């Protein structure tokens, strides 16, 4: 019985919602007819006369105050709407309407999924959001002491945000510590040092650890944060390599003796790979590019499974510096695969190689006359593919936006990744004759292929909506974050702006020309109510005047 009663109430509710949704016009006319029939007992005409007499007694000052107050209120709403839109990217009024008013008016889909399916859907969407907003370690990140700190000394600006440095601290704790560190005094000190927020406290802890033992992670910290030049950092990393290789060999022999030894060996492997990669980067920065390429190739052969460091992106940049384009193509053939995650380095390097084949002879005028050749079409398609993956890069490559130092972490397809790519690869695009000209002529065509990037992609998944928020956390405040796609102003911001301006203008005109505005207002109201008066006259001529008395007799 209870289920039957509940079902009946649900059907009744759905019928009422349906009637309000689709028969509102009929309800409106029925209400108008009832008001007309009951106009005599309700004394509507007398009340209207009284209201009109009251309005006629009001002075122009009242209308000035009324319009001025309306302008002030609409202006405050406009300011709040604009602030909310700038902070959250949506209209507050629109959000409240969709979230709270729409369900009350029956705007909920009847074919809503079950509770279990809804829960699964929410879990999937949350996983997708986390996946979209995943932040990656920048493979080409700079040295804090030798590069980031030097920038701060010269400009007085902090190139790294607290969020970015906090992510680096978490990475260091993940890669350079393990559960058995408390058994070794030097490693125990370094475990606390990686958690320190004060740079001087971290450096002091590293020196304290070195007084106890040759600690590889202590040398790493000093090379990253205390060394003021790349030469000093390289010397410290070479000392770290000597200590790290000894620890790696010892843990390699004991890794099968238990879970603790296996975790220690994993930590020592991460430390060794990190040191060798940074040594290769030091060689690249000091001009020994061939030596750096050899070190990177050896590292990738020795540890082929450690793809988390993205060493192939360091290798691509070094090979481009050597102009070894055949070797670059060989690396791309291995890593530009549909089953592997993409990056701006992969996509734009592939576009650069295809543009190199045609850019020196490319002319937009000639191409418009004769059409694009097969090679030119392939180059344009590669540029469109790269721009779809990260649309922020071309403005930095074409120097339409100023570059800053890249952060230690990047968001793929975001502005932070674009800065990190352009910072190191702009010189390679300039070296290829005509490549930037081809990019300038073709990159904007990508947006015509993808008119709604947040809803549907062309070669990649739809563009994630979380990039702006994450990039603002990763990039310093003095940098203007590139936003894609450009957000259009919501309707309610435009509406409140127009309402505020219109009421302010009315207040000013009423204050300056009270008599003229009174005449204009009366003419406007008479014109506005003329159709209604015409309809009422026609209705009165059709219906008998004593209809209400006849209905009361019945």
């Amino acid at each position: 019985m209870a289920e039957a009663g509940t079902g009946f109430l649900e059907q009744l509710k759905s019928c009422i919602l349906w009637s309000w949704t689709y028969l509102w016009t009929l309800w409106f006319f029925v209400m108008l007819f009832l008001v007309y029939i009951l106009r005599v007992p309700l004394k509507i005409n007398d009340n209207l006369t009284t209201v009109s007499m009251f309005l006629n007694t009001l002075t122009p000052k009242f209308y000035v105050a009324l319009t001025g107050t309306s302008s002030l209120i609409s202006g405050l709403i406009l300011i709040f709407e604009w602030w909310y839109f700038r902070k959250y990217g949506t209209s507050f009024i629109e959000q409240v309407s969709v979230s709270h008013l729409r369900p009350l008016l029956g705007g909920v889909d009847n074919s809503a999924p079950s509770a279990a399916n809804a829960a699964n859907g929410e879990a999937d969407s949350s996983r997708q959001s986390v996946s979209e907003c995943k932040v990656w370690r920048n493979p080409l990140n700079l040295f804090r002491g030798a590069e980031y700190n030097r920038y701060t000394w010269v400009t007085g600006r902090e190139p790294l945000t607290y969020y970015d440095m906090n992510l680096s601290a978490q990475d260091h704790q993940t890669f350079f510590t393990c559960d058995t560190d408390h058994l070794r005094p030097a490693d125990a000190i370094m475990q606390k040092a990686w958690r320190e927020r004060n740079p001087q406290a971290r450096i002091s802890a590293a020196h304290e650890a070195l007084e106890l033992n040759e600690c590889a992670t202590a040398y790493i910290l000093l090379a990253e944060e205390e060394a003021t030049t790349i030469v000093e950092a390289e010397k410290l990393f070479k000392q770290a390599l000597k200590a790290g290789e000894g620890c790696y060999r010892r843990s390699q022999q004991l890794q099968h003796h238990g879970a603790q030894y296996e975790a220690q060996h994993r930590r020592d492997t991460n430390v060794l790979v990190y040191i060798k990669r940074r040594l290769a980067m030091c060689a690249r920065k000091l001009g020994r590019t061939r030596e750096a390429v050899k070190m990177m190739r050896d590292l990738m052969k020795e540890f082929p499974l450690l793809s988390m460091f993205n060493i192939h992106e360091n290798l691509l940049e070094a090979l481009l510096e050597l102009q070894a384009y055949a070797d670059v193509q060989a690396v791309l053939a291995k890593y530009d695969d549909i089953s592997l995650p993409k990056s701006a380095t992969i996509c734009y390097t592939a576009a650069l190689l295809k543009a190199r084949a045609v850019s020196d002879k490319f002319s937009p005028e000639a191409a418009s006359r004769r059409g694009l050749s097969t090679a030119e079409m392939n180059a344009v398609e590669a540029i469109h593919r790269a721009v779809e993956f990260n649309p922020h890069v071309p403005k930095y490559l074409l120097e339409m936006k100023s570059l800053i130092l890249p952060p230690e972490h990047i968001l793929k397809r975001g502005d932070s990744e674009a800065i990190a790519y352009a910072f190191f690869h702009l010189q390679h695009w300039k070296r290829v004759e005509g490549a930037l000209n081809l990019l300038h002529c073709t990159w904007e065509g990508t947006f015509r292929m993808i008119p709604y990037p947040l809803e549907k992609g062309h070669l990649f998944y739809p563009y994630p909506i979380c990039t702006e928020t994450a990039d603002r956390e990763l990039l310093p405040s003095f940098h203007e974050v590139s936003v894609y796609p450009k957000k259009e102003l919501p309707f309610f911001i435009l509406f409140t702006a127009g309402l505020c301006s219109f009421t302010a203008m009315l207040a000013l005109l009423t204050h300056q020309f009270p008599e003229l505005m009174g005449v204009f207002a009366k003419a406007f109201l008479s014109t506005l109510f003329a159709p209604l008066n015409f309809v009422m006259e026609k209705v009165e001529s059709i219906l008998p005047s004593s209809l209400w008395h006849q209905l009361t007799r019945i």
Side-chain angles (χ1 to χ4, degrees):
M1 291 295 291
E3 294 179 356
T6 304
F8 174 75
L9 290 176
E10 290 293 333
Q11 291 181 356
L12 181 62
K13 181 179 178 181
S14 63
C15 291
I16 295 174
L17 291 176
W18 182 86
S19 65
W20 275 108
T21 304
Y22 299 100
L23 301 180
W24 63 270
T25 306
L26 180 60
W27 282 100
F28 179 72
F29 282 110
V30 168
M31 294 301 296
L32 283 181
F33 182 73
L34 289 176
V35 169
Y36 175 77
I37 293 298
L38 299 174
R39 71 186 188 283
V40 176
L42 294 177
K43 299 180 180 181
I44 294 178
N45 293 331
D46 297 339
N47 292 331
L48 289 176
T49 304
T50 305
V51 170
S52 63
M53 291 177 60
F54 172 74
L55 293 177
N56 289 330
T57 59
L58 295 175
T59 62
K61 292 183 179 180
F62 170 80
Y63 294 103
V64 172
L66 178 64
T67 52
T69 305
S70 301
S71 176
L72 176 63
I73 294 174
S74 56
L76 293 176
I77 295 174
L78 172 63
I79 294 173
F80 175 76
E81 277 282 298
W82 178 256
W83 169 81
Y84 195 88
F85 173 73
R86 293 287 294 177
K87 186 172 184 180
Y88 299 104
T90 185
S91 167
F92 175 77
I93 300 176
E94 184 177 332
Q95 186 178 16
V96 171
S97 302
V98 173
S99 303
H100 301 286
L101 299 182
R102 186 180 177 186
L104 296 177
L105 297 177
V108 181
D109 189 6
N110 292 331
S111 60
S114 62
N117 292 336
N120 293 335
E122 290 176 1
D124 293 339
S125 64
S126 64
R127 283 195 296 269
Q128 182 180 3
S129 176
V130 170
S131 176
E132 286 178 347
C133 296
K134 181 179 179 181
V135 176
W136 300 73
R137 182 82 176 177
N138 183 4
L140 297 168
N141 65 308
L142 305 178
F143 293 85
R144 282 196 191 177
E147 292 172 307
Y148 287 120
N149 287 348
R150 290 170 67 89
Y151 176 84
T152 304
W153 298 336
V154 173
T155 64
R157 291 177 169 181
E158 289 291 342
L160 299 177
T161 63
Y162 173 77
Y163 176 70
D164 192 14
M165 292 188 289
N166 187 47
L167 290 176
S168 297
Q170 295 177 16
D171 292 340
H172 295 152
Q173 293 175 50
T174 302
F175 293 140
F176 301 152
T177 62
C178 64
D179 295 336
T180 60
D181 283 346
H182 65 278
L183 300 177
R184 297 174 297 278
D187 289 336
I189 293 174
M190 288 307 301
Q191 192 175 39
K192 295 179 180 179
W194 294 121
R195 297 193 181 101
E196 276 288 345
R197 293 185 179 181
N198 188 355
Q200 292 302 322
R202 289 196 297 269
I203 293 173
S204 300
H207 283 293
E208 183 182 350
L210 288 176
E211 291 176 359
L212 298 176
N213 193 7
E214 289 289 306
C215 181
T217 54
Y219 283 120
I220 289 177
L221 192 148
L222 295 177
E224 292 285 352
E225 301 193 20
E226 188 182 40
T228 57
T229 63
I230 302 298
V231 175
E232 293 178 16
E234 186 180 34
K235 291 180 180 178
L236 289 169
F237 273 120
K238 286 181 178 179
Q239 293 177 279
L241 178 63
K242 183 178 179 181
E245 285 179 337
C247 293
Y248 176 76
R249 284 193 295 268
R250 288 192 295 272
S251 63
Q252 190 178 26
Q253 297 173 356
L254 302 173
Q255 61 175 317
H256 301 297
H257 291 191
Q260 292 184 347
Y261 294 102
E262 185 178 354
Q264 185 176 344
H265 176 66
R266 191 182 308 113
R267 191 279 308 268
D268 292 338
T269 303
N270 292 335
V271 170
L272 184 62
V273 171
Y274 185 89
I275 294 171
K276 289 187 175 182
R277 174 172 163 270
R278 292 304 256 178
L279 277 172
M281 293 177 68
C282 288
R284 166 69 184 90
K285 292 175 184 292
L286 294 173
R288 306 194 306 271
T289 309
R290 294 188 182 279
E291 178 186 346
V293 168
K294 183 180 183 304
M295 295 172 68
M296 293 174 192
R297 289 188 185 277
D298 293 342
L299 187 58
M300 293 169 67
K301 289 179 182 178
E302 186 177 0
F303 303 98
L305 299 179
L306 290 181
S307 59
M308 70 187 80
F309 293 102
N310 291 326
I311 305 172
H312 61 277
E313 296 196 10
N314 299 82
L315 179 60
L316 283 173
E317 195 279 326
L319 291 173
L320 286 172
E321 176 64 21
L322 294 174
Q323 302 184 39
Y325 296 110
D327 293 336
V328 173
Q329 185 61 57
V331 176
L332 286 178
K334 181 178 181 181
Y335 290 97
D336 192 6
D337 187 82
I338 192 172
S339 61
L340 297 176
K342 297 293 181 291
S343 66
T345 302
I346 295 291
C347 294
Y348 277 91
T349 303
L352 176 61
L353 291 188
K354 292 189 177 180
R356 176 177 170 269
V358 297
S359 61
D360 57 337
K361 300 178 182 178
F362 177 78
S363 171
E365 295 80 9
S368 61
R369 289 196 305 268
R370 60 174 171 78
L372 295 175
S373 64
T374 303
E376 290 173 340
M377 185 63 71
N378 291 336
V380 171
E381 289 177 354
I383 290 175
H384 286 175
R385 170 179 179 258
V387 174
E388 180 185 352
F389 182 82
N390 194 317
H392 309 282
V393 172
K395 288 188 176 181
Y396 294 106
L397 292 179
L398 299 173
E399 298 182 270
M400 299 166 65
K401 285 196 68 175
S402 58
L403 276 171
I404 61 172
L405 294 185
E408 293 183 338
H409 290 80
I410 59 174
L411 179 70
K412 288 193 175 183
R413 307 186 74 177
D415 191 30
S416 52
E417 185 191 32
I419 292 171
Y421 173 79
F423 186 86
F424 293 99
H425 289 262
L426 175 59
Q427 56 180 332
H428 307 316
W429 279 81
K430 287 183 175 181
R431 188 179 293 121
V432 177
E433 182 182 357
L436 290 176
N437 178 47
L438 179 60
L439 177 68
H440 179 266
C441 296
T442 56
W443 73 280
E444 291 181 335
T446 310
F447 307 128
R448 292 191 290 271
M449 300 167 54
I450 316 170
Y452 304 103
L454 297 177
E455 301 171 8
K456 184 179 180 181
H458 180 59
L459 298 174
F460 299 98
Y461 287 108
Y463 193 78
I465 60 176
C466 61
T467 54
E468 180 184 0
T469 304
D471 279 332
R472 291 190 188 280
E473 295 285 340
L474 290 171
L475 298 173
S477 58
F478 58 81
H479 172 72
E480 183 181 355
V481 176
S482 177
V483 179
Y484 174 79
K486 289 293 183 182
K487 295 179 180 178
E488 297 181 357
L489 288 177
F491 165 76
F492 287 104
I493 289 183
L494 301 176
F495 175 76
T496 51
L499 182 62
C500 177
S501 304
F502 179 70
T503 51
M505 182 183 66
L506 284 181
L508 180 62
L509 292 176
T510 306
H511 178 70
Q512 294 292 331
F513 312 102
E515 296 180 358
L516 182 61
M517 288 301 295
V519 173
F520 175 76
K522 290 179 181 179
F524 175 75
L525 291 176
S526 62
T527 305
L528 183 64
F529 287 105
L532 180 61
N533 294 331
F534 175 78
V535 171
M536 292 185 67
E537 290 176 0
K538 290 296 182 182
V539 172
E540 287 179 354
S541 63
I542 296 174
L543 296 177
S545 59
S546 59
L547 179 62
W548 169 251
H549 299 288
Q550 294 177 8
L551 290 175
T552 54
R553 289 178 183 178
I554 294 175

